[in-house]
Amino acid sequence: QCETPAFDQEGSALPDRMQEFRIERLKEMGCNAYRTSHNPPTPELLEVCDRLGMLVMDEVRLAGSGPEFTRQLEDLLLRDRNHPSVIIWSIANEEHRIQGTITGARIARSMKRIVKRLDPTRQVTAAMNNGGEGNGFTDVVDVHGWNYIAIGNMDEWHKKHPRLPIVGSEEASTLCTRGEYADDPTRGYMCDYDTNAPGWGRTAEAWWTFYDARPWVAGGFVWTGFDYRGEPTPYEWPCTNSHFGIIDLCGFPKDNFFYYKSWWTKEPVLHLFPHWNWAGREGQEIDVRCFSNCEAVELLLNGKSLGRQVVRKNSHVAWKVVYESGMLEARGFKGGRVIATAKVETVNESANLILTADRTVVRADGEDVSCLTVAATDRKGRPVPIADDVVRFDISGPGRLIGTGSGDPSTHEMDKSPVRRMFNGLCQGIVQTTRQDGDIVVTVRADGRKPATLKIRARACRARRVVV
């Protein structure tokens, strides 16, 4: 059984390389599986999962036994059954009206027969959000899909159905906004401390601690890996996208990324937050936390120790620190020695832009992309985590700018605009190649800041045929 975590994520039309970019981000966090909620994935996503070693729960859009429903299910199975990344088929998600009924059981049997006829090698599940009590899908599926531990009593259910495996088909719905450390309904932001979840959800620490303590549960899929457009819970317009992601729209990690990485990977993790730029709050207490898998963490403010704390499994450590400018440093210990350090500093206003790319060599096939990150630093080269500079992207050579972003869930800026305001010190551009090889030169500028330039090499290749 898979006892390690997994993810689901909504998506839209995008260059094929972006599928790889996203799966790489999830794997960096320690994620080992992906749920295609709530529709068949693009084939290119499955090809990436095959290549990178990401397990997949492949899900059909609608549950039903009529001709159109069965045709869609058959098409999905025939298209995807030869992908080794696919480990289980999901025939439904939160079918409230039928999932616990005799009618639902009949529909599920019809769908399961189709699955077993076309692919007898894999198991069948359905994502249910009623706790799974009573008749219905539970009587039919090979694996019970459980949506949210806040709904129903999983322990009691397991006692009644000890032989039916359970997978957390959807969990968390934790609400966070990258780099924000207080809820702000006016601007549409949620604090990044892993403290907020809607009534049906749980914080990252709460749900994962629950699952990790139950070896008879085969891991869980978090809602969601990345933020997405729509569902700006608990806010409404003019907020424009969700706060559920562990990673924002641009692929920039929120703090919870490092909670999961602490407990889903073996490498030492020591993540200290929040930033240390709180002008006007001198003398007030700041909630300081560390996500870490070290045995203990010591916190120092301007060289003075504020104490060492033992890190409990699947938990975090925290201090109330009276703010004064300077440097906050964390030291992670294992076996009595320091194995990791992290620091945040009070910095000056932004003076420079730093431009980096996830790939500096790309294919000149008219499709490949490079994801650019623009960060603000002060005159000493230190990141400025509260910078909101307006950045302009200029491209020359055989490439084009196809999008910009910042991860701000409340922005109304155009995603195709070459001008983008930073959100908490970062923004992003995406450059796509043409079919001509050569150097793509990217320059980013902001008023009063030193510009930054980067070259991306577009190598000649055999491009696939397209109709223009």
Side-chain angles (χ1 to χ4, degrees):
Q1 295 182 357
C2 173
E3 297 183 20
T4 46
F7 275 92
D8 50 5
Q9 167 195 350
E10 294 191 353
S12 57
L14 69 169
D16 295 346
R17 162 60 194 167
M18 296 306 300
Q19 307 288 355
E20 189 171 31
F21 174 85
R22 290 176 173 179
I23 297 301
E24 288 172 349
R25 280 288 188 273
L26 295 176
K27 286 182 67 68
E28 180 185 348
M29 183 172 56
C31 171
N32 73 341
Y34 182 105
R35 177 186 174 201
T36 67
S37 57
H38 303 292
N39 49 266
T42 181
E44 288 77 13
L45 172 64
L46 294 181
E47 291 169 6
V48 168
C49 291
D50 292 344
R51 187 168 67 252
L52 297 183
M54 180 70 80
L55 306 177
V56 175
M57 177 190 289
D58 207 345
E59 187 164 278
V60 74
R61 175 66 185 96
L62 295 169
S65 55
E68 180 61 22
F69 296 96
T70 57
R71 182 192 65 79
Q72 290 184 21
L73 178 59
E74 289 175 349
D75 288 348
L76 174 73
L77 293 160
L78 291 171
R79 190 197 69 171
D80 295 351
R81 63 185 178 181
N82 287 330
H83 284 283
S85 57
V86 176
I87 61 168
I88 194 168
W89 304 105
S90 175
I91 60 172
N93 176 72
E94 297 185 357
E95 293 283 354
H96 309 273
R97 294 173 182 254
I98 64 171
Q99 62 190 8
T101 68
I102 294 175
T103 299
R106 291 172 176 168
I107 291 173
R109 286 192 184 96
S110 296
M111 299 181 76
K112 184 177 178 180
R113 279 195 297 268
I114 294 172
V115 174
K116 296 302 182 179
R117 172 170 57 84
L118 295 177
D119 178 17
T121 68
R122 295 179 177 94
Q123 295 181 314
V124 173
T125 190
M128 291 170 265
N129 63 326
N130 65 345
E133 301 297 341
N135 301 313
F137 291 172
T138 298
D139 296 336
V140 178
V141 296
D142 304 312
V143 177
H144 182 89
W146 194 290
N147 282 13
Y148 300 105
I149 56 175
I151 304 174
N153 187 319
M154 187 185 290
D155 291 328
E156 288 299 317
W157 189 93
H158 177 61
K159 289 178 183 178
K160 296 176 183 178
H161 309 84
R163 295 186 178 276
L164 186 61
I166 301 174
V167 64
S169 42
E170 191 170 316
E171 275 300 346
S173 287
T174 310
L175 301 166
C176 303
T177 305
R178 176 181 60 80
E180 294 293 320
Y181 297 99
D183 296 340
D184 190 338
T186 301
R187 295 192 299 158
Y189 301 144
M190 303 296 294
C191 78
D192 207 7
Y193 277 123
D194 190 32
T195 53
N196 289 317
W200 67 85
R202 287 291 183 266
T203 63
E205 186 171 317
W207 87 264
W208 176 244
T209 300
F210 179 94
Y211 271 67
D212 194 41
R214 290 159 174 78
W216 38 267
V217 179
F221 291 88
V222 177
W223 187 269
T224 53
F226 289 77
D227 279 342
Y228 55 92
R229 294 297 192 197
E231 291 193 319
T233 307
Y235 307 125
E236 298 179 354
W237 181 266
C239 194
T240 57
N241 66 257
S242 80
H243 298 80
F244 297 127
I246 301 165
I247 303 168
D248 73 16
L249 278 175
C250 293
F252 300 137
K254 304 180 187 181
D255 289 308
N256 268 346
F257 180 98
F258 300 95
Y259 170 78
Y260 290 115
K261 188 172 183 178
S262 294
W263 305 113
W264 293 352
T265 71
K266 299 297 184 182
E267 65 182 86
V269 176
L270 180 59
H271 176 66
L272 173 64
F273 63 104
H275 58 76
W276 207 237
N277 290 264
W278 300 103
R281 294 190 61 181
E282 287 79 6
Q284 298 180 28
E285 285 189 336
I286 303 294
D287 186 358
V288 175
R289 302 189 181 194
C290 276
F291 289 143
S292 180
N293 52 15
C294 296
E295 293 174 354
V297 176
E298 181 182 18
L299 187 68
L300 301 93
L301 176 58
N302 293 327
K304 180 182 178 180
S305 177
L306 303 181
R308 184 183 302 190
Q309 296 187 28
V310 174
V311 181
R312 293 182 294 109
K313 184 182 180 185
N314 296 325
S315 186
H316 69 279
V317 290
W319 295 258
K320 294 292 186 181
V321 181
V322 176
Y323 178 67
E324 63 179 60
S325 64
M327 179 186 294
L328 199 63
E329 181 181 4
R331 296 173 181 172
F333 292 82
K334 183 176 182 180
R337 66 184 185 88
V338 176
I339 62 168
T341 61
K343 66 180 181 180
V344 290
E345 295 182 75
T346 308
V347 298
N348 302 315
E349 68 176 19
S350 61
N352 303 311
L353 301 178
I354 302 297
L355 175 62
T356 57
D358 71 322
R359 298 156 75 231
T360 56
V361 179
V362 291
R363 291 167 53 87
D365 58 2
E367 300 181 49
D368 205 2
V369 298
S370 179
C371 293
L372 310 170
T373 296
V374 185
T377 64
D378 67 6
R379 294 189 184 280
K380 295 182 179 180
R382 300 174 298 182
V384 181
I386 57 174
D388 63 352
D389 300 273
V390 176
V391 176
R392 178 175 182 83
F393 292 80
D394 292 314
I395 311 294
S396 63
R400 54 183 174 264
L401 186 72
I402 64 169
T404 57
S406 67
D408 182 349
S410 296
T411 184
H412 287 208
E413 295 172 291
M414 296 289 290
D415 289 335
K416 294 286 188 178
S417 172
V419 179
R420 175 67 60 160
R421 181 179 294 277
M422 285 184 168
F423 181 61
N424 290 330
L426 297 171
C427 67
Q428 181 187 69
I430 302 175
V431 173
Q432 188 170 54
T433 62
T434 65
R435 293 199 169 197
Q436 178 182 345
D437 64 324
D439 287 336
I440 304 169
V441 180
V442 183
T443 303
V444 291
R445 297 179 173 86
D447 290 345
R449 311 292 181 246
K450 184 178 179 181
T453 299
L454 179 71
K455 286 185 179 181
I456 300 169
R457 178 63 179 172
R459 286 184 173 173
C461 66
R462 182 181 297 239
R464 61 180 175 178
R465 295 178 179 177
V466 296
V467 177
V468 179

